[in-house]
Structures are given as C-alpha cells and as structure tokens.
Amino acid sequence: MKSRPIQTLIYSKMKKALSLVTALLLLTSCATIFNESHTNITFYSTEAIQIVCKQDTLNTIDNKAILQVERKNEPLQLTVSTDSLSKTIEIEAKHSYRYWSNLIANGGIGMLVDKNTPKRYTYPHRIYINVTDTLISYSNYIQGKSKGELDLTLSLPHLNSFHLKPENEGAKTNTGFWGLNLGLDYYHSQRQFFTIGISWVSDFFVPLPAAVDLSGEYELMSSSYASFSNNHKLGRFSLGYGLAYTKNIWDFKYFDRFDPPPPTREAVKKSSIALGFIFPAYFQLGKHFNLGLIYRPTFYRPEMTDKFQYEHLISLDFAWKIRLRQ
C-alpha cells in the first residue's frame, strides 16, 4: 500500500527532470530560438530591374532592392526582368549560420531540436544580378563592377615575412606582425581595376597590441612602400601585378634592461631604397572584407654600391574595400 506514493513521487521527479532536459534542449536550439520565420535578401544589379516573387513585385532603386522571404527548405523562384529581357531564376536554400552554431554552442544537441523547423534554413543575404545585352545571370558575390567605380581600401598586412640584405651584412630573414595600408581601386572595366597604395609593415614579434619590455640584442625590420598595380577580378578572386617603390630598414638595437649579456657589436641602423614588383592576390569573403596574400620582390637599389640584390616581402593581408563612387 505504501509503494504507490513512492512510485508517484518517482514519476513526478522523472517528469520534472524530463521537463528540465526538454527546456535545456530548447534553450540550446539556436535556430529555433533566434531565427525569425522570415529573412531579408538584398539584390544588387548592374542596371534597373524588376523582381517578381509570388505576389511581391519590386523595382530596384539605385540598382538595389530588399525582399523579405519566408524560410523554407525549398528553392526560391524569382522572375527578373528588364525592358527587353526576362528570366526565371532559382535561389537554393541553405542551412543558416545559427543552425551550424549549435556545433559550438551545445556540441550539436540543438540540431536535434532544430531538425524539423524551417527556421534552420536561409537564403544568401546578398544576390548580385548581372544584366548584359543577351542574358541575365546572378551570383552570391560581385563578379564585376561598373566602369569608373572608385573604392577605398583599408587593410592590415598583419603577418609579414622579410628577406633583406643590408649593405655589408649577411642576408636577414624574419617573420613578424603589424602593418597598415591605404589604397584606391579604380575600375577601368567591369573586371579590371588599377590600385595605387601606400603601406608600412614591420616584423614586431607580438601579434596583439601589448606593452613589451625588450632586453638584450634585437634585430628589427620594417618597410614602407608605394605601389601601383593592374588587377583582374576572377569570380571571388582578384589577381594583380605592378611596380613598387620601397624603403627597407634593418635596425640592430641593444636594450640595457634586466641585466642582459653585453652586446656583441655596436647598434646600427641601415636603410635602402629599392625598386621592384608587387603581386597582390585576394579572395572576397564578404561584401567588403577580403583576405589577401602580397608578394613584393625588389631587385634594384639605386643608392647602394651593390645595386642589384634580390629582397622580398610576403604579407598576409586583411582588407576592407569601401565604395566611394559608382
């Protein structure tokens, strides 16, 4: 007779525990909780177009339009029209960022909760529509730009590998951090642009901003340069080639802090002007953000006794491009 209350108590506790587990699972389902039932797509076009999606009709203003669509696990069908062309395109649905974030936030448990909800899906946030005389095509990234467009480039050549040959010294190599670049891109055709830029880079050994105390002997390298290049845009990639005017600095210093060993030589700083080439390569990751690799070899040093010497700089660059004029 007394077993029944005990069973009821156990059942009650199990029910509460199950409710708690369910609540925790729901709290860890990122897409279900944080995604709205609709999402926005921003369309950019090379000329004025009309977009029809079910009962919605949009006309671009300044070659831009924003469409709100329902999240679903099915392609989104659109009709894109100009005065002379019309085409039906399909935009595939994909898993949203918040669905994949379950892997980090809760080890993937939230994916089980998000499994059957349409909120787990999304569409590209940006669609670029290219209109020519004979067809309409689209992409998730800018394939070409308007002739005459001017972009400002701000970048951080953060990881830099140096190979220098100061006069009367052996070859000096090192890899370090920090740099700054300012540039302008001018599109002389839809898929080609000129870039002029000024840059400063260093081999500082700390990758993050921090106060450091140096002790003993240190070799420090830096470089300032101006460059001009012609670049080809190939999908998300851009590849360039051009000329560079460079000032390389090698600085041997001794810091008398914390009782270091005595210096092995006197402190000295040597700099040289060098002429050479620049080969920038970038991959577009977002509307404005690009990840790049810059190879800048130099061969001729007009002010030095030993005028012909190979030196180089290789930089990993984080670049933001901002349109100034279309």
Side-chain angles (χ1 to χ4, degrees), residues 290-309:
N290 295 258
L291 179 64
L293 187 67
I294 300 170
Y295 173 53
R296 195 211 64 197
T298 56
F299 303 94
Y300 181 64
R301 305 185 297 182
E303 298 177 350
M304 307 295 286
T305 304
D306 190 4
K307 297 183 181 301
F308 292 95
Q309 283 287 350

Side-chain angles (χ1 to χ4, degrees), residues 3-225:
S3 61
R4 184 174 244 176
I6 295 175
Q7 290 177 351
T8 303
L9 181 61
I10 294 174
Y11 174 77
S12 177
K13 289 184 176 181
M14 290 180 63
K15 186 176 180 181
K16 289 181 180 180
L18 183 60
S19 299
L20 179 61
V21 171
T22 303
L24 290 174
L25 286 174
L26 288 173
L27 287 174
T28 57
S29 54
C30 296
T32 300
I33 294 175
F34 296 107
N35 278 348
E36 297 181 358
S37 59
H38 290 71
T39 186
N40 290 335
I41 303 176
T42 302
F43 293 88
Y44 300 89
S45 59
T46 54
E47 63 181 68
I49 60 172
Q50 183 181 78
I51 302 170
V52 178
C53 178
K54 297 181 180 179
Q55 284 75 41
D56 295 324
T57 301
L58 295 173
N59 293 299
T60 55
I61 300 176
D62 294 330
N63 295 342
K64 179 181 176 180
I66 299 175
L67 177 67
Q68 187 178 76
V69 297
E70 185 179 2
R71 297 179 188 269
K72 289 184 178 181
N73 184 22
E74 60 184 46
L76 182 67
Q77 290 193 342
L78 307 171
T79 300
V80 179
S81 304
T82 66
D83 293 336
S84 58
L85 298 171
S86 182
K87 182 179 181 180
T88 298
I89 61 176
E90 284 192 350
I91 301 173
E92 296 293 332
K94 63 179 183 178
H95 293 303
S96 70
Y97 163 78
R98 283 176 175 151
Y99 174 75
W100 290 116
S101 68
N102 284 305
L103 292 171
I104 299 174
N106 50 66
I109 295 175
M111 289 179 168
L112 300 176
V113 181
D114 290 338
K115 180 180 178 182
N116 297 318
T117 177
K119 288 185 177 182
R120 68 185 278 189
Y121 299 103
T122 191
Y123 298 96
H125 295 304
R126 292 178 293 273
I127 296 293
Y128 300 91
I129 298 177
N130 185 34
V131 180
T132 67
D133 295 335
T134 57
L135 56 85
I136 297 174
S137 62
Y138 78 96
S139 175
N140 297 343
Y141 53 90
I142 299 176
Q143 292 189 327
K145 294 195 176 186
S146 302
K147 182 179 178 180
E149 180 170 325
L150 186 67
D151 293 346
L152 172 68
T153 297
L154 299 172
S155 73
L156 300 175
H158 190 59
L159 181 64
N160 306 295
S161 180
F162 289 85
H163 175 78
L164 303 182
K165 291 185 178 178
E167 193 169 33
N168 301 321
E169 302 284 345
K172 305 294 182 180
T173 60
N174 197 30
T175 299
F177 302 93
W178 292 106
L180 184 63
N181 169 266
L182 179 65
L184 288 172
D185 296 344
Y186 173 76
Y187 279 80
H188 56 89
S189 70
Q190 281 195 346
R191 297 182 186 274
Q192 289 193 59
F193 58 96
F194 295 131
T195 297
I196 58 173
I198 53 174
S199 305
W200 171 84
V201 294
S202 75
D203 68 342
F204 192 61
F205 63 92
V206 179
L208 299 175
V212 296
D213 288 321
L214 301 178
S215 178
E217 295 180 339
Y218 276 89
E219 295 183 57
L220 305 174
M221 300 184 204
S222 64
S223 183
S224 302
Y225 64 94

Side-chain angles (χ1 to χ4, degrees), residues 205 212-220 251-268:
F205 63 92
V212 296
D213 288 321
L214 301 178
S215 178
E217 295 180 339
Y218 276 89
E219 295 183 57
L220 305 174
D251 196 359
F252 180 84
K253 288 189 174 184
Y254 178 77
F255 297 91
D256 188 12
R257 298 191 184 100
F258 313 120
D259 296 324
T264 58
R265 58 176 293 179
E266 291 185 0
V268 62

Side-chain angles (χ1 to χ4, degrees), residues 267-306:
V268 62
K269 182 177 182 179
K270 296 185 178 182
S271 64
S272 62
I273 300 298
L275 305 177
F277 303 104
I278 188 167
F279 301 98
Y282 287 91
F283 181 75
Q284 181 183 346
L285 293 173
K287 182 181 178 181
H288 300 290
F289 180 65
N290 295 258
L291 179 64
L293 187 67
I294 300 170
Y295 173 53
R296 195 211 64 197
T298 56
F299 303 94
Y300 181 64
R301 305 185 297 182
E303 298 177 350
M304 307 295 286
T305 304
D306 190 4

